[in-house]
Amino acid sequence: MNSRPVARDIARRPSLISVSEPLIGDNVLPLVRECLNTGWLSDGRFVQEFEHKWSSYCSTQYGVAVSNGTAALEVAVAALRLEPGSEVIIPSWTIISCAIAVLKAGCIPILVDCDPETWCMSLDEVESKISPRTRAVMPVHMFGHPVDMRRLNMLAKTYGLFVIEDAAEAHGAEVVGRRVGGLGDLGCFSFYANKIVTTGEGGMVLTNNGEFADRLRSLRNLGFRSDRRFFHTEIGHNYRLTNLQAAIGVAQIERVDSHIEKKRWIAACYRERLKRLSQVVLPVEREWAKNVYWMYGLVLHDDVPFDAAEFAHRLRERGVDTRPFFLGMHEQPVFRSRGLFERETYPVSERLARRGFYIPSGLTLTELQIDRVCEAIIQELN
Ligand SMILES: Cc1ncc(COP(=O)(O)O)c(C=O)c1O
């Protein structure tokens, strides 16, 4: 049977409130126009300006712009020159990019579960998974809430581990007043269109280590060396960011504080309207943390008689778009079929994957739309 909606059905539905739309200010236009007028499309001054401005914003010495957040993680792990078979601890509940970066470096991802409230990796579990082969740990700042980097860095120091932050979802988030991305050995960002600062596609690695920075620049650019052109001593990638994208990034950084304020305003509006609902768990903000609420996630209580997928379907019928939460790495067929993570279970990740989803949180969202989203949620749950 053909289940495509007919035009009549579509017309009857309320217009869909999208989960995320970027906010591109008109300050981008002169910069992009400069690229077009001068012909500096690929390389150019905006790449360095973007690197400088973002690394300054996060208080690090070096920034190396790359083509996306996954590439940032890949070159960051590769920059460490870990021996094949080294173990890198990552959360199970995250984007697959984290595991891919570890595997591509010839290393083994070791999973930990996450905290049921912040949704970030459980630091108790990190310590229990450290083995003589562990060389690095990858904290992922989830949905805008930071990992407690004070405690993680102490663990890393005790056991001699490198720390690679994945701050793709947490631009401007803070741990006791210090911005994430500059709190480990390497900090990785994505600037995909749904991120707080966007370049359409884009990424960056931050570090205070000059050797890492040199190696990151070489890895993103086909393994080119600074001392001799067309002379290669290792396999690199083409992970370059274009000048056009960097121009957008420079303009976006000018607005980052207002983007973060808007995200926090959206979160405050949702909290105010949804806090009396006993059927959903709302995002938290630890007293030492600044949560930038990249996306506003909800987790259905066990007594709600349907799962997140069903709830998403019902909200869509009411004109509200949502996205499901990640499915844990230990539940991914691509890894299971390779014999990875066999018989491992992570109850919090599994619960989040089935009961969690995020609601419209884009930078163009209006209070009226927030009211409509909350009305739809409340009506469905009552
Ligand atoms: C936590 C996290 N890390 C890495 C990435 C990968 O970034 P990209 O899509 O730019 O490759 C994402 C993507 O959204 C992400 O959420």
Side-chain angles (χ1 to χ4, degrees):
M1 200 178 80
N2 187 352
S3 62
R4 280 170 54 197
V6 292
R8 205 177 49 245
D9 294 335
I10 294 169
R12 220 186 290 130
R13 276 188 204 157
S15 63
L16 196 66
I17 302 173
S18 86
V19 279
S20 172
E21 277 171 20
L23 184 60
I24 306 297
D26 51 13
N27 61 335
V28 78
L29 293 175
L31 310 191
V32 168
R33 216 174 281 128
E34 180 184 317
C35 299
L36 299 175
N37 288 343
T38 58
W40 288 99
L41 304 179
S42 305
D43 202 2
R45 76 176 184 99
F46 290 119
V47 176
Q48 275 168 21
E49 192 173 332
F50 184 42
E51 292 174 335
H52 175 69
K53 289 200 159 142
W54 192 244
S55 55
S56 303
Y57 182 76
C58 299
S59 305
T60 59
Q61 225 172 326
Y62 308 100
V64 179
V66 290
S67 47
N68 55 68
T70 305
L73 290 167
E74 276 183 36
V75 291
V77 179
L80 299 176
R81 295 185 193 275
L82 302 178
E83 261 176 52
S86 299
E87 294 179 356
V88 180
I89 299 178
I90 68 170
S92 177
W93 191 72
T94 183
I95 187 119
I96 196 165
S97 313
C98 304
I100 289 175
V102 173
L103 288 167
K104 281 201 175 172
C107 300
I108 302 168
I110 300 293
L111 305 183
V112 294
D113 208 352
C114 51
D115 179 281
E117 291 185 355
T118 63
W119 310 330
C120 291
M121 75 196 313
S122 152
L123 298 188
D124 290 335
E125 278 200 30
V126 168
E127 185 154 24
S128 73
K129 290 282 182 92
I130 295 172
S131 83
R133 287 175 304 283
T134 312
R135 294 289 175 270
V137 55
M138 187 184 285
V140 184
H141 306 298
M142 277 300 174
F143 279 66
H145 196 293
V147 172
D148 186 350
M149 294 300 293
R150 298 166 304 176
R151 196 173 151 209
L152 186 85
N153 280 337
M154 248 153 58
L155 270 180
K157 199 168 167 202
T158 306
Y159 293 94
L161 310 178
F162 291 111
V163 175
I164 304 173
E165 291 179 85
D166 181 346
E169 301 179 355
H171 303 182
E174 294 174 12
V175 178
V176 286
R178 295 181 64 208
R179 291 195 178 119
V180 299
L183 305 179
D185 295 287
L186 296 145
C188 300
F189 288 88
S190 161
F191 302 112
Y192 184 67
N194 64 5
K195 299 305 187 294
I196 292 175
V197 164
T198 183
T199 55
E201 289 277 5
M204 201 180 296
V205 188
L206 304 184
T207 183
N208 288 313
N209 180 317
E211 272 175 44
F212 286 160
D214 284 344
R215 185 155 158 76
L216 291 165
R217 284 189 207 103
S218 171
L219 285 169
R220 80 165 162 195
N221 191 22
L222 306 174
F224 270 101
R225 297 167 58 100
S226 54
D227 54 349
R228 190 170 157 196
R229 194 136 181 96
F230 298 118
F231 182 75
H232 302 266
T233 45
E234 69 175 327
I235 304 286
H237 313 266
N238 177 354
Y239 287 163
R240 296 183 301 254
L241 188 78
T242 66
N243 200 41
L244 265 170
Q245 291 167 309
I248 298 172
V250 168
Q252 285 270 297
I253 292 175
E254 287 173 9
R255 306 276 162 97
V256 61
D257 290 335
S258 70
H259 288 189
I260 291 169
E261 251 176 60
K262 176 81 190 251
K263 290 285 188 186
R264 287 180 62 83
W265 174 80
I266 292 170
C269 290
Y270 276 137
R271 170 157 287 280
E272 192 48 41
R273 288 158 179 75
L274 300 175
K275 68 183 179 201
R276 279 172 292 276
L277 273 183
S278 61
Q279 301 97 323
V280 287
V281 182
L282 309 180
V284 297
E285 181 174 54
R286 292 276 181 256
E287 70 285 355
W288 45 264
K290 178 176 181 179
N291 188 344
V292 290
Y293 299 99
W294 168 62
M295 293 289 163
Y296 202 80
L298 301 177
V299 182
L300 295 173
H301 264 295
D302 289 337
D303 52 13
V304 175
F306 40 79
D307 64 8
E310 169 64 22
F311 195 58
H313 173 73
R314 292 178 185 209
L315 287 182
R316 203 178 164 81
E317 291 295 304
R318 290 179 179 271
V320 175
D321 205 9
T322 64
R323 290 287 180 279
F325 271 6
F326 298 121
L327 179 65
M329 295 304 103
H330 66 293
E331 298 199 85
Q332 298 291 349
V334 65
F335 296 141
R336 289 239 155 153
S337 66
R338 285 165 170 74
L340 278 165
F341 319 132
E342 266 177 359
R343 286 183 287 282
E344 294 181 24
T345 65
Y346 300 96
V348 181
S349 306
E350 286 158 28
R351 209 173 151 269
L352 291 181
R354 285 154 188 79
R355 312 294 291 175
F357 58 99
Y358 62 84
I359 56 181
S361 313
L363 290 167
T364 59
L365 203 64
T366 65
E367 193 159 5
L368 217 65
Q369 289 176 313
I370 292 175
D371 285 338
R372 261 185 62 199
V373 172
C374 294
E375 243 171 64
I377 292 171
I378 291 166
Q379 282 173 7
E380 271 308 326
L381 287 174
N382 290 332

